[in-house]
């Protein structure tokens, strides 16, 4: 009896250890994927050519003739309470000050063709990163420019949501939408909340979503609705 008891405990321990190993492995893989997909501090990510006025992904194999025109942006630790995206500026051109490049709060930069764009998740806004000859500055994109980048997405403006009773007719062929902030600083730190997560999928950017079925959507701040920061409703029928 005692031997069976000991044997049972050993089997249970083996099973527990087995499942613990699997869970640890999955967590490890997820952590490795996250680390590999996000830019690391010190990593050189973007290169701008002042002569050609073109952006590209960083490549250490730079043509020597072009090197004097190349400006490299290197990931720096976020600064400020808002966690602004910051880059070290590396260049061989002495006329360009080597000052940190601040983009936006929690912003995410992405390349389309030879242009560098940035999404500001705290404000639901898109920008193009422009070099003005001395420094890099964000330029807010127009609706037309955003439509060209996010092809197939219908734009929903916050000013339209403020009017209330915003309704979408559900259609599988027209199911992709992007919410844009056109009212300025009054719209800040909002996020999209469906009443059924299986009927809506958030896309690459937090203001993008794809409808999978009819669903009620609320756009709100973390603390909920208030007079200063009201919630906005979208009904999909």
């Amino acid at each position: 009896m005692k031997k069976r008891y000991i044997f049972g405990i050993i089997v249970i321990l083996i099973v527990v250890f087995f499942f613990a190993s699997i869970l640890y492995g999955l967590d490890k893989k997820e952590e490795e994927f996250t680390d590999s997909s996000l830019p690391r501090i010190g990593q050189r990510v973007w290169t701008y050519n002042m002569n050609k006025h073109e952006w590209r992904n960083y490549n250490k194999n730079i043509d020597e003739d072009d090197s004097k025109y190349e400006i490299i942006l290197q990931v720096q630790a976020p600064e400020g309470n808002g966690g602004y995206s910051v880059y070290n500026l590396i260049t061989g051109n002495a006329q360009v000050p080597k000052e940190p490049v601040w983009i936006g709060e929690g912003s995410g930069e992405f390349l389309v063709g030879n242009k560098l764009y940035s999404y500001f998740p705290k404000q639901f806004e898109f920008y193009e990163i422009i070099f003005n000859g001395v420094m890099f500055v964000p330029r807010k994109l127009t609706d037309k420019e955003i439509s060209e980048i996010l092809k197939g997405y219908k734009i929903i403006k916050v000013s339209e949501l403020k009017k209330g009773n915003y309704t979408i007719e559900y259609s599988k062929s027209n199911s992709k939408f992007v919410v844009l902030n056109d009212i300025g600083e009054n719209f800040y730190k909002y996020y999209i909340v469906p009443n059924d997560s299986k009927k809506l999928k958030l896309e690459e950017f937090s203001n993008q979503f794809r409808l999978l079925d009819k669903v009620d959507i609320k756009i709100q701040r973390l603390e909920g609705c208030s007079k200063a920061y009201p919630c906005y409703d979208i009904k999909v029928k």
Side-chain angles (χ1 to χ4, degrees), residues 13-35:
L13 290 174
I14 291 173
V15 171
V16 170
F17 178 76
F18 174 73
F19 282 105
S21 300
I22 292 175
L23 292 173
Y24 174 77
L26 291 173
D27 288 342
K28 194 69 176 175
K29 284 183 180 179
E30 184 177 349
E31 183 180 340
E32 288 173 356
F33 173 78
T34 302
D35 291 342

Side-chain angles (χ1 to χ4, degrees), residues 142-205:
T142 64
D143 293 354
K144 182 180 179 181
E145 289 173 319
I146 294 169
S147 294
E148 290 172 354
I149 294 172
L150 304 179
K151 297 184 184 298
Y153 283 84
K154 181 182 177 182
I155 291 175
I156 300 174
K157 296 182 180 180
V158 175
S159 59
E160 296 171 341
L161 297 177
K162 286 184 69 176
K163 298 175 183 177
N165 301 318
Y166 194 91
T167 304
I168 297 173
E169 293 287 341
Y170 175 69
S171 168
K172 289 184 179 180
S173 60
N174 187 23
S175 61
K176 299 190 294 186
F177 297 85
V178 57
V179 181
L180 297 182
N181 170 16
D182 63 333
I183 64 172
E185 295 179 357
N186 292 329
F187 185 84
Y188 183 68
K189 291 187 177 180
Y190 275 77
Y191 61 101
I192 297 170
V193 184
N195 68 344
D196 188 337
S197 60
K198 294 180 180 179
K199 296 181 179 180
L200 179 148
K201 180 184 177 183
L202 289 176
E203 299 285 76
E204 181 179 358
F205 305 113

Side-chain angles (χ1 to χ4, degrees), residues 87-155:
Y87 296 93
N88 282 325
L89 189 148
I90 304 171
T91 175
N93 191 319
Q95 295 179 347
V96 182
K98 292 185 180 181
E99 298 176 354
V101 179
W102 288 49
I103 305 296
E105 186 175 353
S107 66
E109 284 62 64
F110 59 101
L111 202 65
V112 177
N114 56 17
K115 293 186 177 182
L116 185 66
Y117 297 100
S118 182
Y119 169 60
F120 289 17
K122 300 294 185 183
Q123 296 166 290
F124 281 22
E125 294 175 338
F126 289 92
Y127 290 80
E128 180 185 0
I129 308 304
I130 299 290
F131 181 64
N132 65 9
V134 179
M135 60 190 296
F136 293 94
V137 292
R139 177 188 67 82
K140 189 174 180 179
L141 297 181
T142 64
D143 293 354
K144 182 180 179 181
E145 289 173 319
I146 294 169
S147 294
E148 290 172 354
I149 294 172
L150 304 179
K151 297 184 184 298
Y153 283 84
K154 181 182 177 182
I155 291 175

